[in-house]
Amino acid sequence: MVTARLAKPLALAAALLVLAGCSAQPSTGPASTGSGTPSSTVPAVSTCVADPSAVVARTADLPTSALPDDLTTTIDKAAQEAFAQTSAKGAVVAVQSPKGLFLKAYGVADPATGTPMTTDIYQRVGSITKTFTGTLTMQLAAEGTLSLDDTISRYVDGVPRGDEVTIRMLADMTSSVTSYTKDEAWQKIFFSEPDRVWKPEELLKAGISLPPQDFAPGTAFDYSNTNTILLGLVIQKVTGKSYQDVLAEKILTPLGLTHTIFPAGSAAFPDPHAQGFTLQGGHGTPQDPANTSNWNPSWGWTAGELISSAQDLLTYGRAEATGAGLVPAKDQIERLTSFREFNGHGNGGYGIGWGCQNGWVGHTGELPGYNTAMFYSTKDDTTIVTMVNSDIPSGDCPSDARTLTDNPTDLPCSSPATRIFQALATTLGTPFAPQKK
């Protein structure tokens, strides 16, 4: 059985690559864990968002009229060129700014039938779920229901270093709690039984049974899905409600996100949706990737189970960044300044449920078959969402990363949604800068 890419961060996000010190596809082997004496120092707070006060002042709605013709043509050209360099058969591209809206679909949702991709598809958005969980955490902290500096031992027993690990450390990926997706035994079960319904408690047990990472909590970055599972459990405990009910009450209903769904263990996938394709876990071949459309996403729970649409993510991506309708201004400023520079000054950072690079805040999401990017430019009030029906990377990728037979090796390795997003960010004048070497 081929070792899964799930051994490393699910989201092949440019933001997370920058933070993890990678420039291409994560290696397929599980990350090492250590049980030695941890020691390191807390890195500086990032100034990735230059003017947080200006960001939270953006409370007026953006226009939904079409962008000017010349800008529409420019974006369309960049999107088509980048899409052609990916492994995906279909894509949706959405851009909204003070100048208007661009929303267009490319390619096919189902290669077998030739059904075209449409802009209203539902998409499994993977780790973009983490931004929703992070937002709920900020809301509960703003209300005084919990404190970001509470230790996790106050809410959940058995977490390694639980008396040191805080809610904030779980949200900004500095807890040292190891991701259950790095566990080879867990991976074997997941890829052998992709329709299995996972309970949050099973995911937590798999994560906290692994040795913690070899650094003192709060002093280093390690992307861990277990962190966000723990936050989901805390949210349920302090509210006395299910995660999906809190999500609907505090985010979906206030923002009018009518096409965003938390399946809560179900593999149901509303129509229209694209057929998704992967080579992860030994499934499929480069000539014939595996169709994952019916795989159950419960293994991601509050770290990766959400379904959404491009238009909903445009609305949410901006609200998440400005706080408008979600979080009071002073608390949103705290979130906009929560990023820490684990790779040195100017190399971006990860904060409370999201990443930041060159003023772009947001996340990508990946689970087998689907890849999504959602980023907001704090510099010019622009949101970009890209969705594709493949998680297969393309470009000059490591030898242990499975690619298609016609893979273009003269390009940097990238996941498909990230490649399109980065091309658009550059075209619009605010590049999502690569890591400085």
Side-chain angles (χ1 to χ4, degrees), residues 22-43:
C22 304
S23 58
Q25 186 75 1
S27 67
T28 59
S32 62
T33 58
S35 57
T37 303
S39 62
S40 45
T41 57
V42 180

Side-chain angles (χ1 to χ4, degrees), residues 357-383:
Q357 174 66 29
N358 197 29
W360 290 97
V361 294
H363 221 289
T364 68
E366 177 187 310
L367 40 67
Y370 300 94
N371 186 214
T372 307
M374 178 195 72
F375 286 95
Y376 172 86
S377 173
T378 58
K379 295 182 179 180
D380 60 11
D381 200 10
T382 297
T383 310

Side-chain angles (χ1 to χ4, degrees), residues 97-422:
S97 77
K99 296 179 181 180
L101 173 67
F102 176 94
L103 182 61
K104 186 172 180 179
Y106 302 85
V108 295
D110 186 350
T113 64
T115 303
M117 200 76 154
T118 57
T119 58
D120 61 345
I121 64 160
Y122 288 87
Q123 173 95 339
R124 299 197 192 279
V125 299
S127 286
I128 288 176
T129 309
K130 292 180 174 68
T131 71
F132 286 79
T133 304
T135 299
L136 291 175
T137 303
M138 285 300 306
Q139 289 174 322
L140 293 169
E143 295 168 5
T145 305
L146 57 77
S147 168
L148 296 178
D149 297 318
D150 287 343
T151 60
I152 189 58
S153 61
R154 180 172 178 175
Y155 304 101
V156 181
D157 294 330
V159 178
R161 304 171 184 156
D163 291 335
E164 303 172 60
V165 173
T166 65
I167 300 298
R168 187 188 306 273
M169 294 172 191
L170 295 170
D172 68 11
M173 301 292 175
T174 65
S175 71
S176 80
V177 178
T178 299
S179 182
Y180 58 90
T181 54
K182 294 178 181 177
D183 181 18
E184 289 184 314
W186 181 89
Q187 287 181 37
K188 183 176 181 180
I189 297 171
F190 170 73
F191 283 114
S192 298
E193 305 174 30
D195 58 349
R196 175 170 171 163
V197 178
W198 291 87
K199 296 179 180 179
E201 293 77 14
E202 293 177 303
L203 304 175
L204 176 62
K205 182 179 179 181
I208 65 177
S209 66
L210 298 170
Q213 299 297 300
D214 194 13
F215 60 82
T219 65
F221 173 86
D222 184 70
Y223 190 82
S224 172
N225 289 290
T226 311
N227 287 341
T228 321
I229 300 301
L230 282 163
L231 291 178
L233 293 171
V234 171
I235 289 167
Q236 291 193 151
K237 184 164 188 175
V238 300
T239 63
K241 301 175 182 178
S242 68
Y243 177 86
Q244 56 267 33
D245 285 347
V246 180
L247 180 69
E249 174 188 324
K250 291 185 172 294
I251 299 179
L252 305 189
T253 299
L255 295 183
L257 304 184
T258 59
H259 287 71
T260 301
I261 300 161
F262 191 77
S266 171
F269 204 164
D271 289 322
H273 66 264
Q275 302 298 299
F277 297 92
T278 195
L279 294 174
Q280 286 204 59
H283 287 271
T285 66
Q287 299 80 19
D288 186 22
N291 188 320
T292 67
S293 306
N294 295 322
W295 288 19
N296 193 300
S298 61
W299 65 272
W301 198 49
T302 52
E305 193 173 347
L306 205 69
I307 294 171
S308 192
S309 69
Q311 288 179 295
D312 269 15
L313 290 186
L314 280 180
T315 299
Y316 169 71
R318 184 174 187 254
E320 177 203 30
T322 64
L326 294 176
V327 178
K330 67 179 182 64
D331 300 282
Q332 185 63 17
I333 288 174
E334 179 180 4
R335 193 178 189 191
L336 288 165
T337 55
S338 66
F339 309 104
R340 292 194 177 275
E341 297 185 321
F342 291 101
N343 280 343
H345 181 68
N347 288 332
Y350 198 90
I352 298 173
W354 58 352
C356 185
Q357 174 66 29
N358 197 29
W360 290 97
V361 294
H363 221 289
T364 68
E366 177 187 310
L367 40 67
Y370 300 94
N371 186 214
T372 307
M374 178 195 72
F375 286 95
Y376 172 86
S377 173
T378 58
K379 295 182 179 180
D380 60 11
D381 200 10
T382 297
T383 310
I384 297 177
V385 175
T386 58
M387 293 177 162
V388 297
N389 55 347
S390 169
D391 66 319
I392 303 167
S394 62
D396 185 18
C397 299
S399 59
D400 54 5
R402 302 181 75 196
T403 57
L404 299 181
T405 53
D406 59 352
N407 176 53
T409 57
D410 57 341
L411 300 170
C413 185
S414 177
S415 61
T418 298
R419 187 179 297 286
I420 299 171
F421 160 67
Q422 287 185 301

